[in-house]
Amino acid sequence: GFPPVEPERARLLILGSLPSLESIRRGQYYAHPRNAFWTLMGDLFGAGRDLPYPERLQTLSAHGVMLWDVLRAAHRPGSLDSAIHPRRLQPNAIPALLGRHPELRRIVFNGAAAETLFRRHVARRCGRRLEGVDLVRLPSTSPANASRSLSDKRAAWSAILV
């Protein structure tokens, strides 16, 4: 996994499940060219693929948006979340991250897998820190989520992030 994108004053945390093989190869969040994440971040925050990767991260940070994944490591052949071995995973230190950001009021899950992994392996370790924090699942931006069109994904992400 990658370290968090962690601005000083975060208002929103976007959690994925685990970086894809392409993301790991490139050392970038959401690096697969067909993943809609950066297209949506461009629409919402001006952090689209037209910017170099470091500038995308800086733009999200300037808007108080943190990025991280629920898992820092797992056994997963390929890139599909459904292939993550349920007994061979290691969550990120999300409780510590939340402790550093008491102003955070919303956690957005990039898809069902991120939400499920968070609720099973992280939420109870966060304790009272989750009180008053909205937990919202949005449609996955992954190209594997082909059942939702880009316009459907854009509408769902726009409604909750703007």
Side-chain angles (χ1 to χ4, degrees), residues 54-162:
E55 289 181 35
R56 286 182 248 162
L57 299 182
Q58 288 172 351
T59 301
L60 288 182
S61 291
H63 284 92
V65 177
M66 285 193 288
L67 290 181
W68 212 8
D69 289 304
V70 176
L71 302 179
R72 69 179 182 85
H75 176 74
R76 177 188 65 190
S79 291
L80 294 177
D81 288 337
S82 59
I84 295 172
H85 191 287
R87 291 195 181 108
R88 296 180 63 194
L89 51 83
Q90 299 170 7
N92 271 315
I94 294 169
L97 179 79
L98 297 179
R100 292 191 300 271
H101 295 278
E103 70 283 358
L104 183 81
R105 292 291 171 249
R106 178 170 287 156
I107 298 173
V108 171
F109 302 105
N110 188 349
E115 179 187 28
T116 299
L117 289 164
F118 179 86
R119 291 188 186 276
R120 280 190 190 146
H121 302 286
V122 178
R124 70 197 122 142
R125 292 187 359 229
C126 295
R128 301 189 84 159
R129 179 56 189 95
L130 290 179
E131 291 177 8
V133 176
D134 292 331
L135 303 177
V136 181
R137 176 177 35 158
L138 291 175
S140 173
T141 61
S142 168
N145 183 17
S147 65
R148 302 281 298 264
S149 69
L150 179 59
S151 61
D152 286 346
K153 292 176 186 181
R154 184 178 289 115
W157 281 77
S158 294
I160 199 74
L161 294 181
V162 176

Side-chain angles (χ1 to χ4, degrees), residues 41-62:
M41 294 304 105
D43 294 345
L44 297 169
F45 302 109
R49 284 191 187 274
D50 55 321
L51 294 178
Y53 182 71
E55 289 181 35
R56 286 182 248 162
L57 299 182
Q58 288 172 351
T59 301
L60 288 182
S61 291

Side-chain angles (χ1 to χ4, degrees), residues 20-60:
S20 69
L21 293 176
E22 184 65 13
S23 290
I24 292 168
R25 188 179 75 72
R26 292 187 188 189
Q28 298 179 358
Y29 281 100
Y30 304 103
H32 193 288
R34 288 187 12 241
N35 192 305
F37 183 81
W38 292 113
T39 299
L40 296 174
M41 294 304 105
D43 294 345
L44 297 169
F45 302 109
R49 284 191 187 274
D50 55 321
L51 294 178
Y53 182 71
E55 289 181 35
R56 286 182 248 162
L57 299 182
Q58 288 172 351
T59 301
L60 288 182

